[in-house]
Amino acid sequence: MANQDGVVVSVLTQTKQQESPSAIDRLLTQTHADMARVNTLILERANSHVDMVPELARYLIDSGGKRLRPMLTVAAAALFGSGKGHAINFAAAVEFMHNATLLHDDVVDESDMRRGKPAARMIWGNQASVLVGDFLLGQAFMMMVETRDIEALGVLAAAAAAMAEGEVFQLAKTGDLATSAEDYAEVIRAKTATLFQAACEVGAMAGEADEAGRTALRAYGLELGNAFQLVDDVLDYRGETGTIGKNRGDDLREGKMTLPVILALAEGNEAEQKIITSALGDAEASDEQVRAVVTIMERYNTLGRTMDKAHFHARAAADALSPLPQSALRDLLADVVEFSVSRAY
Amino acid sequence: MANQDGVVVSVLTQTKQQESPSAIDRLLTQTHADMARVNTLILERANSHVDMVPELARYLIDSGGKRLRPMLTVAAAALFGSGKGHAINFAAAVEFMHNATLLHDDVVDESDMRRGKPAARMIWGNQASVLVGDFLLGQAFMMMVETRDIEALGVLAAAAAAMAEGEVFQLAKTGDLATSAEDYAEVIRAKTATLFQAACEVGAMAGEADEAGRTALRAYGLELGNAFQLVDDVLDYRGETGTIGKNRGDDLREGKMTLPVILALAEGNEAEQKIITSALGDAEASDEQVRAVVTIMERYNTLGRTMDKAHFHARAAADALSPLPQSALRDLLADVVEFSVSRAY
């Protein structure tokens, strides 16, 4: 689904195992009209007379992200009806929050690459990345304010605070060998699933869903987000540099305590633990070291079990929608969950 | 006015030239009851089960800042009446926004010191400073949402975006010898005066001021903020390391194009320009180099003329209040302007 403005790119190539259009491509088609309006709003609000702001913001925004979160917002709204027409603003605000987080995360993680291109901070520096992130966050709240929906604003403000809290928790646990699977579950819920949850919840609110509908979409978003991050953390070890848009083993080198490494440390013998800890948090760890760690992970099936957990959350996401009236869009949203998991194959 | 919880410290020592309590100390007395509630709310909302969040946030929050901005908010509200009691939340939100900005600015400026103590980033690192700043910003919006005043929320959201934009503009102009006095005026308005303006405006809104009252407080805050930053930029050259809480000449070493240096570059001869440009943006510039630049500034009276400009804005701030009914608090707010200027003597 290449489209003229080039901001939404095809993801068909990523889902090779399917012949028919993937759920995500069907979602792209389904939300195309709304997303065209979202994209226009995004470009408009990333503007500034300070040239560096739109330059940096557009570099990131146009970098081929799938815009999954704002698509979920407009799809969730459409599930319930057109409502007051707030879905476009909500969706753009969600995408700005996401992009603000990416800019700050890349500074925090000292990432060189993002979506297969040099991270913005490698071109404009850490300083501009921090400040443009702040600008996008301010603009996100401005777009929310325009709808005058204080309740939806509260959902996104709470998500902003929770996401930052989750990132700090992850930072505090960096390289901490005592990090538990529960700690990890809390990190991914806060730093990733919260925004998926908020994106879906404000979408339902834009569609004027009743309480049950809003609760269903909240739960759907939360579980989808959990599944999404679990898969991301598997891809970091299993993906090929180039196709995952960053370098294989980055999480290991950054000392990130993700589930595959937590389980491998818990179950490996002393020699295996030593192989892992010598690479963990070492920015200079070689590809050979990463491969050795992956071998240990395969031995204890920690990547497979992390995928099992992703599937568990994916099923919970689909199940969350089942109380809602049957519709093609509801079924499509359930199918989209599969996409978040199938990325890893 | 030392008080039990230690969060508001006396500033009497900073205004040695006066025998009677300074305007700022009178404002402290005047707002004491409200500020006690603001401080309680600030400590409560800086809390998190992620230990690093309150540790870092409280280190900054308790570090002896005057809390001028939230004091202005509660004083502005009191000027018009108690209203719906939103002033406490608005004031705490303003202070959180300010502290979020400080955390991010110290990362951007690579500052070692803040308020005479090591900057938070020197203890917890740049990463935590960025993320805890994000957390405080999220919490600020949460406190605003609780009041359900969407209009006041819009004022603060616009301020957040404008402040970040101003910081990016300042960054883009770093070391740029072509920076004009107009560019500088825009930078200080956006990065500093906007929050003073918003602090006063939401205060007036909390007091349910009419349109004229809100406009008066907006203008007062804007001009006070402009005066405040001009004085700050003079103090960076004129202040003594230790009393200004950072190192003399920091702006010069960071390549910040403030008015004293813009004027000196415009009026100095070639040899003088060379002395300035050789130190400008050089993190390793010696105290002797800073002194040589200050000598040039004194020769062309650029620090004095920057102070003149500060006085001009200070008068405009006081004048902005004159349409309002006479009251002791109105006169006190006018007197407070003097404090922002008298810091430099």
Side-chain angles (χ1 to χ4, degrees):
Chain A
M1 305 253 340
N3 68 5
Q4 313 87 300
D5 51 16
V7 288
V8 178
V9 298
S10 174
V11 288
L12 271 171
T13 48
Q14 293 184 255
T15 55
K16 301 183 194 94
Q17 82 284 7
Q18 287 169 273
E19 286 299 314
S20 59
S22 70
I24 191 79
D25 279 318
R26 284 185 286 135
L27 185 65
L28 277 165
T29 307
Q30 191 71 39
T31 59
H32 185 264
D34 279 346
M35 285 304 292
R37 293 171 63 203
V38 171
N39 292 333
T40 302
L41 185 59
I42 283 175
L43 290 177
E44 184 187 313
R45 297 306 167 88
N47 217 343
S48 163
H49 69 283
V50 181
D51 296 339
M52 201 191 274
V53 172
E55 279 168 22
L56 192 159
R58 286 182 186 169
Y59 174 81
L60 177 66
I61 292 169
D62 292 357
S63 68
K66 293 172 296 296
R67 305 215 168 157
L68 180 54
R69 294 161 192 78
M71 272 201 288
L72 290 169
T73 302
V74 297
L79 198 56
F80 298 99
S82 60
K84 296 198 192 82
H86 292 170
I88 307 302
N89 272 43
F90 289 179
V94 163
E95 184 67 5
F96 269 27
M97 281 178 62
H98 176 52
N99 281 296
T101 307
L102 294 184
L103 285 173
H104 288 185
D105 282 359
D106 283 346
V107 170
V108 168
D109 293 343
E110 301 178 357
S111 306
D112 301 343
M113 287 172 76
R114 162 73 62 189
R115 296 172 181 160
K117 295 203 299 182
R121 72 180 199 96
M122 304 303 288
I123 301 173
W124 287 275
N126 282 341
Q127 304 169 314
S129 291
V130 169
L131 297 174
V132 174
D134 291 346
F135 172 76
L136 293 178
L137 209 53
Q139 291 289 72
F141 283 107
M142 289 285 283
M143 288 189 275
M144 295 299 293
V145 166
E146 283 166 27
T147 68
R148 305 191 72 83
D149 186 334
I150 193 88
E151 207 148 341
L153 224 160
V155 171
L156 286 194
M163 287 162 73
E165 212 172 9
E167 295 278 354
V168 178
F169 191 44
Q170 173 174 271
L171 180 66
K173 292 289 176 188
T174 300
D176 179 351
L177 304 180
T179 308
S180 66
E182 290 71 31
D183 293 333
Y184 168 78
E186 184 187 327
V187 165
I188 68 168
R189 185 195 54 73
K191 79 165 187 172
T192 304
T194 299
L195 188 57
F196 276 92
Q197 173 182 303
C200 294
E201 183 171 10
V202 298
M205 293 167 85
E208 299 193 319
D210 60 12
E211 199 52 42
R214 190 172 150 184
T215 303
L217 267 291
R218 264 181 76 85
Y220 168 78
L222 176 71
E223 297 297 353
L224 176 59
N226 277 323
F228 192 91
Q229 188 60 53
L230 282 155
V231 171
D232 237 38
D233 293 343
V234 168
L235 279 173
D236 198 80
Y237 289 101
R238 204 178 252 178
E240 292 303 316
T241 302
T243 65
I244 56 172
K246 51 182 186 168
N247 299 310
R248 190 182 184 186
D250 271 355
D251 285 352
L252 186 72
R253 295 187 180 96
E254 289 165 14
K256 271 199 189 136
M257 301 305 293
T258 61
L259 192 57
V261 81
I262 290 170
L263 294 176
L265 276 170
E267 295 166 19
N269 60 36
E270 217 169 299
E272 290 163 336
Q273 288 175 343
K274 213 172 154 192
I275 290 169
I276 298 170
T277 54
S278 73
L280 191 68
D282 175 8
E284 306 298 322
S286 66
D287 288 349
E288 286 68 36
Q289 284 181 282
V290 173
R291 269 195 292 274
V293 170
V294 171
T295 301
I296 297 166
M297 289 175 170
E298 302 290 8
R299 192 171 301 146
Y300 295 94
N301 192 30
T302 71
L303 293 168
R305 281 148 65 205
T306 302
M307 283 305 297
D308 290 346
K309 217 172 173 59
H311 279 289
F312 170 83
H313 285 289
R315 275 192 301 274
D319 287 350
L321 299 177
S322 59
L324 301 178
Q326 198 280 325
S327 73
L329 187 51
R330 188 200 73 169
D331 293 346
L332 175 53
L333 284 173
D335 291 348
V336 162
V337 177
E338 265 316 296
F339 160 75
S340 73
V341 181
S342 64
R343 294 184 304 148
Y345 296 107
Chain B
M1 311 246 339
N3 68 4
Q4 313 86 300
D5 50 15
V7 286
V8 179
V9 298
S10 174
V11 287
L12 272 171
T13 47
Q14 294 184 255
T15 53
K16 301 184 192 94
Q17 82 285 6
Q18 288 169 272
E19 285 300 313
S20 58
S22 70
I24 192 79
D25 278 317
R26 284 186 286 137
L27 184 64
L28 277 165
T29 307
Q30 191 70 38
T31 60
H32 184 265
D34 280 345
M35 285 304 291
R37 294 171 63 202
V38 172
N39 292 332
T40 301
L41 185 60
I42 282 175
L43 291 177
E44 185 187 312
R45 298 307 167 88
N47 217 345
S48 163
H49 70 283
V50 181
D51 297 339
M52 201 191 275
V53 172
E55 279 168 23
L56 193 159
R58 285 181 187 170
Y59 174 81
L60 177 66
I61 291 169
D62 293 358
S63 68
K66 291 172 297 296
R67 305 215 167 156
L68 179 55
R69 294 162 192 77
M71 272 202 288
L72 289 169
T73 302
V74 298
L79 198 56
F80 297 100
S82 60
K84 297 198 193 82
H86 292 169
I88 307 302
N89 273 43
F90 288 179
V94 163
E95 184 66 5
F96 269 28
M97 282 178 62
H98 176 53
N99 281 297
T101 307
L102 295 184
L103 285 172
H104 287 185
D105 283 359
D106 283 346
V107 170
V108 168
D109 294 343
E110 300 176 357
S111 306
D112 302 342
M113 288 172 75
R114 162 73 61 191
R115 295 170 181 162
K117 296 203 299 183
R121 74 180 198 95
M122 303 304 288
I123 300 173
W124 289 275
N126 281 342
Q127 305 169 316
S129 291
V130 169
L131 298 173
V132 174
D134 291 347
F135 172 77
L136 293 178
L137 209 52
Q139 292 289 73
F141 282 107
M142 291 285 284
M143 288 189 275
M144 294 300 292
V145 165
E146 282 166 27
T147 68
R148 305 190 75 81
D149 185 334
I150 193 87
E151 206 147 344
L153 225 161
V155 170
L156 285 194
M163 285 161 73
E165 211 172 9
E167 295 278 355
V168 178
F169 191 44
Q170 174 175 269
L171 181 65
K173 291 290 176 187
T174 300
D176 179 350
L177 304 181
T179 308
S180 67
E182 289 71 31
D183 293 333
Y184 168 78
E186 185 186 326
V187 165
I188 68 168
R189 184 195 54 73
K191 79 165 188 174
T192 305
T194 299
L195 188 57
F196 277 91
Q197 174 182 302
C200 293
E201 184 171 9
V202 298
M205 292 166 86
E208 300 192 317
D210 60 12
E211 198 52 43
R214 191 173 149 184
T215 303
L217 267 291
R218 264 181 75 83
Y220 168 79
L222 176 71
E223 297 296 354
L224 175 59
N226 277 323
F228 192 90
Q229 188 60 54
L230 282 156
V231 170
D232 238 36
D233 293 344
V234 168
L235 278 173
D236 197 81
Y237 289 101
R238 205 179 252 178
E240 292 303 316
T241 303
T243 63
I244 57 172
K246 51 183 187 169
N247 298 310
R248 188 181 185 189
D250 270 354
D251 285 350
L252 185 72
R253 294 186 180 95
E254 289 165 14
K256 271 199 190 138
M257 301 305 294
T258 61
L259 192 56
V261 81
I262 290 170
L263 294 176
L265 276 169
E267 297 167 18
N269 60 36
E270 219 169 297
E272 289 163 336
Q273 287 175 344
K274 215 172 152 190
I275 290 170
I276 298 170
T277 55
S278 72
L280 190 68
D282 175 8
E284 305 301 320
S286 66
D287 288 349
E288 286 68 35
Q289 285 180 282
V290 173
R291 268 196 291 275
V293 170
V294 172
T295 301
I296 297 166
M297 289 175 171
E298 301 291 8
R299 193 170 303 148
Y300 295 94
N301 193 28
T302 72
L303 294 168
R305 280 148 65 205
T306 302
M307 284 305 298
D308 290 346
K309 216 170 173 61
H311 278 290
F312 170 82
H313 285 290
R315 275 191 302 273
D319 287 349
L321 299 178
S322 59
L324 301 178
Q326 198 281 325
S327 73
L329 187 52
R330 189 199 73 169
D331 293 346
L332 175 54
L333 283 174
D335 291 347
V336 162
V337 178
E338 265 316 295
F339 160 75
S340 72
V341 181
S342 64
R343 294 183 304 147
Y345 297 107

